[in-house]
Amino acid sequence: MTDFIQRVLRPERPDWIIRSLLDVDFYKFTMGYFIHRFFPEVQVTFRFINRHPHIPVAELVDEDELRAQLDHVRTLRFRRTDIYYLRGMDVYGEAMFSREYLDFLAGLKLPPYTLDRRGDQYEIQFTGTWAEVTFWETIAMAIVNELVYRTLLQGMAEDRSTGESGLQILYARATDKLYHKLQRLAENPSIHFADFGKRRRHSFLWQQFAIEMAEEVVGQGLTGVSNTWMAFNKDLVPIGTNAHELPMVLTALADTNNAKRDAQYMVLEAWGNLFPQNALRIMLPDTYGTEQFFSGMSEDMAHEVSHAWRGLRGDSGDLVVEGERYIKWLTQHGVDPKEKLYIPSDGLDVEGILKLNQALGGRVQLAYGWGTKFTNDFESCHPHGNEPAVVNGKKLHLTWDQLLRGHSFVCKVASADDKPAVKLSNNVNKATGPVAEIDRYLRVFGEKGRLQQRVEV
Amino acid sequence: MTDFIQRVLRPERPDWIIRSLLDVDFYKFTMGYFIHRFFPEVQVTFRFINRHPHIPVAELVDEDELRAQLDHVRTLRFRRTDIYYLRGMDVYGEAMFSREYLDFLAGLKLPPYTLDRRGDQYEIQFTGTWAEVTFWETIAMAIVNELVYRTLLQGMAEDRSTGESGLQILYARATDKLYHKLQRLAENPSIHFADFGKRRRHSFLWQQFAIEMAEEVVGQGLTGVSNTWMAFNKDLVPIGTNAHELPMVLTALADTNNAKRDAQYMVLEAWGNLFPQNALRIMLPDTYGTEQFFSGMSEDMAHEVSHAWRGLRGDSGDLVVEGERYIKWLTQHGVDPKEKLYIPSDGLDVEGILKLNQALGGRVQLAYGWGTKFTNDFESCHPHGNEPAVVNGKKLHLTWDQLLRGHSFVCKVASADDKPAVKLSNNVNKATGPVAEIDRYLRVFGEKGRLQQRVEV
């Protein structure tokens, strides 16, 4: 087993967080292929956003170290073996990527970033060709996350009231907690989940540890992992299809209100053309609200998508309600929901998974995307977690528990060809984009069905 | 750097030598594909042979440990990632292996072995379907070799006159020796070689170490490695095409003398049909003597093979003479030898490489197959190597130096569909097969051009 304590007390120097360009979510390859094929010229900016600004990221992460980690990623290239792996993968059918795209990957160097400190936050932006910039998303997030926790753990090691024993307790409790969760899932063999926790993992090594434990405890219940490096190295199925950035960019590029409303359906059409594989045809309806997504869809498209697509991912809103809506919609279109897949993926933990299984199990196929609460649950693991945290000799206004939990960091497309990009989401608190532009989008898409929900991570 | 001394003093238990089915020479895949396509029903026996019977293998290798290591290999399967790698490899053109063959590999479990002690030697045999048995060759050899050296190193650790310091001297000298050799090659940037040393390596970890050092010291001079695992993990080019077992089996299966003479050409024809890739079309002419191979070849085939094949591998005889013969033969057929590749691969060390380069450099392309003397040169590295070795508390009749050198172990096809298989070679001492059958083959193929040469390894 990895000696997590030693990694804190005697870290490698330099201790690179990202050591392979495969250490990204697999959907970056499927979306990247889509982008490279259909939108090779589009220029975008992705922006790192801390949705919980009371967390003082710039106090917790050393700027030089952050720059060094980001710079290191720019030295990485896909290895010959990585490209062979991507070319030879057949879990979604043979030759899923074109030679042109693999050649593009073989030459890929991640584009530059800009980094500015604004108060106790960092503004990190990535600008360049969409097909290249897109790879930064889960990489930048994993770097900021792991650097935050490294600082906290270092603070624990230096704090006389915790010290090495405190670290041991932290990891012992987190290990036990993870095991307990996995056991609860294992008790219900109908539950299948994929690890979606790469972006907000406690650390690379902890994600690896969590996956290894899941393989032992739940066995076939773990259907795969979103992290391509882990899929490659642990011989698991890489999981992922598409995300909000596709409708966000296409909608930003559309000029008229009608064109904006249509962009989300253009994504579906183009995606379906690029990927004949049923398993990759997963709708993500919530970019501008699920309700308008279904109500605005043409009957032709609804027929096609309900029959010839594998399923739907629910990433915001009440996920039981979203599932019910999908079941009802399938039934209306003469499709047996038991033949289709619903993938809830919003801030899930075991309770949520069990609740969804209770509500929807047996009525639709279910595969859970279990993320941050799988790869990064250290809440209540600190021996005195309700005391103020001390880092770099400085007492903070936040407790250890407030800081050791998963944070709501995202890295989202902010603009495309200099036009602002917006996400509305079913959850008002998950919206991103300039306020004026959000207002415009709300007029275009309406607000029906949107909720105020606490964003956990 | 791997702590080789600690691996001796505190070995892992169990310390499996072969941990992946990729840890085989790449030619097992190219030949295996050929065999699976054209000869799926042929049953063979491969036999482990110690060509230097004064080396008491059974005194040096514990039978239980040997069985455990062989048994462990039978538990290994190709991983999903391994199959993706083989499918996605494009250094020899895309899709070099058929789906049928990759499916076969995905289900492969190595067939059983028989192991009997005969005096101070082991008789190890592998019987079954050719396409399966063939994978044992370099695996069985690497296992016996590494077990021999483990025993010797353990003997050194327990010998008060060597002990831990003795091990340090051994590895320090072997390291320096390897570095010195690589430096000599690096001085001559026209020299290119591939690592062919998997089968007789000192150990898995030492092979890895040698490859890493070669990458640093000679850079592009290292064109690739025969060991597929190392190619996969070190991002190098896997090197290999075909070997003697193809003509040996086809000749064994042929009934008449004429059919036996023709079998070596059938191999060429079928190989050329299976592999349109120029880079994989490498002749191996010495199975029954190079002289008869060329003199007996039809003019049509000579024209085809001289023009449309990439080169020739020289594995026995005087390798300068073999090269000269190839150059002359190419010229006779109107082919510029500078366009073709000669691959000397018989017991090479730096001196031999430099001599060949001196004699043939600039006249034909050269790529050396550097094997045992690359991955296993510990001669004169023991602090008192001319003293009798002591293992398991027993003084042997052989010195440390005699035992620590590379040994002439082979694992050859012994029969095909119950008919004995024979190799004659350009070197009388490299012939294998039953004596009576060798005599018959000598009447069929003649003895012209065969030499008596010391077999180094």
Side-chain angles (χ1 to χ4, degrees), chain B residues 316-318 346 424-431 442 447-456:
Chain B
S316 63
D318 180 323
D346 182 25
L424 295 177
S425 173
N426 290 319
N427 180 354
V428 172
N429 295 324
K430 282 181 107 174
L442 285 173
E447 300 204 46
K448 244 177 124 186
R450 293 181 79 224
L451 308 171
Q452 281 273 3
Q453 292 172 301
R454 187 165 161 229
V455 179
E456 281 289 336

Side-chain angles (χ1 to χ4, degrees), chain B residues 112-370:
Chain B
Y113 63 91
T114 61
L115 168 59
D116 296 291
R117 184 168 176 154
R118 300 257 187 272
D120 57 9
Q121 302 295 326
Y122 289 121
E123 187 171 299
I124 317 173
Q125 295 200 137
F126 307 93
T127 299
T129 304
W130 189 13
E132 296 177 354
V133 170
T134 191
F135 278 93
W136 270 117
E137 182 200 16
T138 63
I139 289 176
M141 288 175 70
I143 286 175
V144 176
N145 273 288
E146 188 160 344
L147 288 179
V148 165
Y149 300 115
R150 282 187 187 175
T151 301
L152 293 170
L153 297 174
Q154 204 56 50
M156 285 179 69
E158 288 163 10
D159 178 356
R160 258 197 256 167
S161 67
T162 46
E164 189 168 339
S165 309
L167 288 169
Q168 278 161 348
I169 288 170
L170 181 85
Y171 277 106
R173 287 182 181 169
T175 302
D176 192 38
K177 199 171 184 183
L178 176 60
Y179 185 65
H180 180 72
K181 289 187 195 185
L182 290 167
Q183 275 192 312
R184 290 188 66 195
L185 294 179
E187 282 163 15
N188 197 331
S190 74
I191 291 179
H192 293 86
F193 72 89
D195 164 21
F196 278 19
K198 189 259 171 181
R199 62 190 62 204
R200 294 196 192 95
R201 65 193 181 196
H202 173 76
S203 69
F204 172 86
L205 291 169
W206 186 257
Q207 182 182 21
Q208 179 167 264
F209 172 70
I211 290 169
E212 287 168 0
M213 188 184 277
E215 284 191 275
E216 283 204 9
V217 180
V218 304
Q220 298 300 310
L222 178 72
T223 58
V225 291
S226 64
N227 181 336
T228 316
W229 192 96
M230 295 287 172
F232 175 97
N233 281 285
K234 311 264 156 223
D235 211 27
L236 295 165
V237 175
I239 302 276
T241 56
N242 58 73
H244 300 108
E245 68 182 272
L246 300 186
M248 285 172 76
V249 167
L250 269 65
T251 308
L253 296 177
D255 284 325
T256 68
N257 290 351
N258 277 342
K260 282 197 189 302
R261 268 187 298 265
D262 284 348
Q264 58 195 327
Y265 308 119
M266 266 177 62
V267 171
L268 288 194
E269 200 167 324
W271 189 269
N273 289 336
L274 187 62
F275 294 110
Q277 305 96 313
N278 192 259
L280 293 176
R281 292 172 156 188
I282 303 290
M283 281 179 277
L284 179 66
D286 71 334
T287 312
Y288 303 113
T290 307
E291 194 146 329
Q292 64 75 35
F293 177 84
F294 281 119
S295 66
M297 192 186 286
S298 73
E299 261 316 300
D300 277 1
M301 174 163 279
H303 182 82
E304 164 72 11
V305 170
S306 59
H307 283 77
W309 281 50
R310 174 83 183 102
L312 173 144
R313 179 155 75 94
D315 199 44
S316 63
D318 180 323
L319 296 187
V320 172
V321 173
E322 296 296 300
E324 293 287 2
R325 189 205 319 260
Y326 181 45
I327 289 171
K328 190 172 157 199
W329 179 80
L330 288 168
T331 311
Q332 282 169 350
H333 290 88
V335 176
D336 180 359
K338 291 199 189 78
E339 303 292 314
K340 296 296 171 182
L341 181 70
Y342 177 45
I343 306 175
S345 72
D346 182 25
L348 285 186
D349 203 356
V350 170
E351 293 305 330
I353 291 173
L354 294 173
K355 186 179 143 206
L356 281 158
N357 223 51
Q358 184 76 30
L360 304 170
R363 299 166 55 209
V364 64
Q365 295 173 27
L366 283 158
Y368 302 94
W370 193 17

Side-chain angles (χ1 to χ4, degrees), chain A residues 15 30 54 103 149 166 171 178 212 216 284 293 310-311 319 324 387 395 410 422 454:
Chain A
D15 190 352
T30 48
H54 65 280
D103 286 348
Y149 300 115
Y171 276 106
L178 177 61
E212 286 167 0
E216 282 203 10
L284 178 67
F293 177 84
R310 175 81 182 103
L319 296 186
E324 293 286 2
E387 291 178 16
K395 192 177 275 195
V410 293
V422 167
R454 184 162 165 233

Side-chain angles (χ1 to χ4, degrees), chain A residues 78-85 87-91 94-95 99 103 231-238, chain B residues 78-91 94-95 99 103 231-238:
Chain A
F78 284 106
R79 299 173 310 160
R80 199 191 321 256
T81 297
D82 302 335
I83 300 293
Y84 290 179
Y85 173 75
R87 183 186 290 109
M89 184 181 292
D90 74 342
V91 64
E94 288 186 20
R99 187 192 300 205
D103 286 348
F232 175 96
N233 281 285
K234 311 264 158 224
D235 211 28
L236 294 164
V237 175
Chain B
F78 285 106
R79 300 172 310 161
R80 198 190 324 252
T81 297
D82 302 335
I83 300 293
Y84 290 0
Y85 172 76
L86 292 169
R87 183 187 291 110
M89 184 179 293
D90 73 342
V91 63
E94 287 185 19
R99 185 191 300 205
D103 286 347
F232 175 97
N233 281 285
K234 311 264 156 223
D235 211 27
L236 295 165
V237 175

Side-chain angles (χ1 to χ4, degrees), chain A residues 146-391:
Chain A
E146 186 159 345
L147 288 179
V148 165
Y149 300 115
R150 281 188 189 176
T151 300
L152 294 170
L153 297 174
Q154 202 58 50
M156 285 179 69
E158 287 162 11
D159 177 356
R160 256 195 260 167
S161 68
T162 45
E164 190 169 337
S165 306
L167 288 168
Q168 277 161 350
I169 288 169
L170 181 85
Y171 276 106
R173 288 183 181 168
T175 301
D176 192 37
K177 198 171 187 184
L178 177 61
Y179 184 65
H180 181 72
K181 290 189 196 185
L182 289 167
Q183 274 191 314
R184 289 188 67 194
L185 295 180
E187 282 163 14
N188 197 333
S190 74
I191 292 179
H192 294 87
F193 72 90
D195 164 22
F196 278 17
K198 189 259 170 181
R199 62 190 62 204
R200 295 197 191 93
R201 64 192 180 197
H202 172 75
S203 69
F204 172 87
L205 291 169
W206 186 258
Q207 182 181 23
Q208 180 168 262
F209 172 71
I211 290 169
E212 286 167 0
M213 189 185 276
E215 283 191 274
E216 282 203 10
V217 180
V218 303
Q220 298 300 311
L222 178 72
T223 58
V225 291
S226 65
N227 181 337
T228 316
W229 192 95
M230 296 288 172
F232 175 96
N233 281 285
K234 311 264 158 224
D235 211 28
L236 294 164
V237 175
I239 302 276
T241 57
N242 57 74
H244 301 107
E245 68 181 272
L246 299 185
M248 285 173 75
V249 168
L250 269 65
T251 307
L253 295 177
D255 286 323
T256 67
N257 290 352
N258 277 341
K260 280 197 189 304
R261 268 189 295 267
D262 283 348
Q264 57 196 329
Y265 308 118
M266 267 178 60
V267 171
L268 288 194
E269 199 165 325
W271 189 270
N273 288 337
L274 188 61
F275 294 109
Q277 305 94 311
N278 192 259
L280 293 176
R281 292 173 155 189
I282 302 292
M283 283 180 277
L284 178 67
D286 72 333
T287 311
Y288 303 113
T290 305
E291 193 144 333
Q292 64 77 34
F293 177 84
F294 281 119
S295 64
M297 191 186 287
S298 74
E299 260 317 300
D300 277 0
M301 174 164 279
H303 182 83
E304 164 72 10
V305 169
S306 59
H307 284 78
W309 282 50
R310 175 81 182 103
L312 173 144
R313 179 155 76 93
D315 198 44
S316 63
D318 181 323
L319 296 186
V320 172
V321 172
E322 296 296 300
E324 293 286 2
R325 189 206 318 263
Y326 181 44
I327 290 170
K328 190 171 158 202
W329 179 79
L330 288 169
T331 311
Q332 281 168 350
H333 290 88
V335 177
D336 180 359
K338 292 200 190 78
E339 303 293 314
K340 297 294 172 184
L341 181 69
Y342 177 45
I343 306 175
S345 72
D346 183 25
L348 285 185
D349 203 355
V350 171
E351 294 305 330
I353 291 173
L354 294 173
K355 185 179 145 205
L356 281 157
N357 224 51
Q358 185 76 30
L360 304 170
R363 298 166 54 209
V364 62
Q365 296 173 29
L366 282 158
Y368 302 93
W370 193 19
T372 314
K373 297 286 191 177
F374 172 55
T375 58
N376 187 16
D377 188 357
F378 284 69
E379 235 172 323
S380 309
C381 294
H382 190 287
H384 40 86
N386 53 4
E387 291 178 16
V390 182
V391 296

